[in-house]
C-alpha cells in the first residue's frame, strides 16, 4: 500500500483518500465507476454518468497546520480519546449537474503538499475526459500499485508519478 497525492493505492485498487477499514467511509475508483464505501454512504456512479470529480476540504500542509496537528495530538493523548482522522469531501457531478458528496478519510495527519494536492485534483479532472483516458490512467495507477513494494515513495517520486499520470 502506498500514498501518492490524494490517492491510496493498495495492490491494484485505487482510493481517493485513505483505504477504508471496516465500515469507515471511503471512495474507490474502479474501471466501471466511482464506488462509495462505508456504512453511511453507498452507491456506484458509472464513469459515463460522471461529468466532474473533485475533492474539497483536503488538508494542505502548512506550518500552522503542522503545529495545530501536533497540538491536537498532544491534547488527544493527554485526554485519552479522539483518534479519528480528518476527512475530505469527494464531489461527483453528473451530466444533469446534480452533485453527490462522499466522505473519505485523509491519509496524512498534517496534510498533503500543495503540489501533490494540485496534481491530484488535475488527475481527478482527467479521469472524466473520456473512456480511453480513464482506462489508461487507472490502469497505469493500478499497475504501479501491483508492482510497487516498500510503502509510500518520497515526495519527489510521488510528484513525478502524478505528473506522469496527468500527462498520460
Amino acid at each position: 500500500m502506498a500514498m501518492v497525492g490524494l490517492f491510496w493505492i493498495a495492490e491494484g485498487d485505487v482510493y481517493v483518500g485513505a483505504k477504508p477499514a471496516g465500515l469507515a467511509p471511503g471512495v474507490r475508483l474502479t474501471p466501471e465507476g466511482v464506488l462509495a464505501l462505508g456504512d453511511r454512504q453507498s452507491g456506484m456512479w458509472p464513469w459515463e454518468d460522471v461529468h466532474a470529480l473533485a475533492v474539497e476540504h483536503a488538508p494542505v500542509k502548512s506550518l500552522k497546520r503542522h503545529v495545530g496537528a501536533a497540538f491536537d495530538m498532544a491534547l488527544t493523548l493527554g485526554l485519552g480519546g479522539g483518534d479519528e482522522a480528518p476527512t475530505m469531501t469527494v464531489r461527483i457531478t453528473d451530466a444533469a449537474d446534480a452533485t453527490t458528496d462522499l466522505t473519505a478519510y485523509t491519509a496524512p495527519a498534517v496534510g498533503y503538499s500543495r503540489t501533490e494536492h494540485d496534481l491530484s485534483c488535475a488527475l481527478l479532472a482527467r479521469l472524466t475526459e473520456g473512456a480511453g483516458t480513464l482506462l489508461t490512467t487507472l490502469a497505469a495507477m493500478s499497475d504501479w500499485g501491483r508492482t510497487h513494494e516498500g510503502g509510500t515513495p518520497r515526495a519527489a517520486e510521488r510528484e513525478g508519478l502524478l505528473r506522469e499520470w496527468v500527462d498520460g
Side-chain angles (χ1 to χ4, degrees):
M1 292 191 290
M3 181 186 70
V4 179
L6 300 179
F7 305 96
W8 193 260
I9 304 171
E11 297 160 357
D13 297 333
V14 178
Y15 299 87
V16 180
K19 178 182 177 180
L23 298 176
V27 177
R28 183 173 169 213
L29 305 177
T30 72
E32 295 77 30
V34 180
L35 179 62
L37 304 168
D39 69 339
R40 292 194 175 104
Q41 61 187 23
S42 64
M44 169 69 151
W45 289 262
W47 286 111
E48 59 267 11
D49 296 340
V50 177
H51 178 69
L53 190 58
V55 171
E56 297 182 359
H57 314 297
V60 176
K61 285 182 189 175
S62 68
L63 180 59
K64 181 178 176 182
R65 179 171 294 284
H66 189 72
V67 170
F71 178 76
D72 287 347
M73 182 179 289
L75 186 61
T76 296
L77 292 173
L79 297 176
D83 60 351
E84 189 154 316
T87 61
M88 61 184 164
T89 301
V90 179
R91 175 161 290 160
I92 301 167
T93 305
D94 67 19
D97 286 332
T99 60
T100 302
D101 290 344
L102 302 174
T103 300
Y105 284 111
T106 63
V110 295
Y112 301 95
S113 76
R114 170 57 63 192
T115 301
E116 285 185 77
H117 173 273
D118 294 348
L119 286 167
S120 296
C121 289
L123 183 53
L124 286 170
R126 180 171 170 69
L127 293 175
T128 64
E129 291 177 358
T133 300
L134 160 75
L135 295 175
T136 302
T137 304
L138 271 182
M141 295 172 79
S142 295
D143 289 346
W144 179 85
R146 277 190 287 278
T147 60
H148 179 75
E149 294 181 17
T152 298
R154 294 190 174 275
E157 185 180 348
R158 293 191 310 264
E159 290 174 12
L161 285 166
L162 290 167
R163 281 188 180 89
E164 179 182 321
W165 296 333
V166 167
D167 294 340

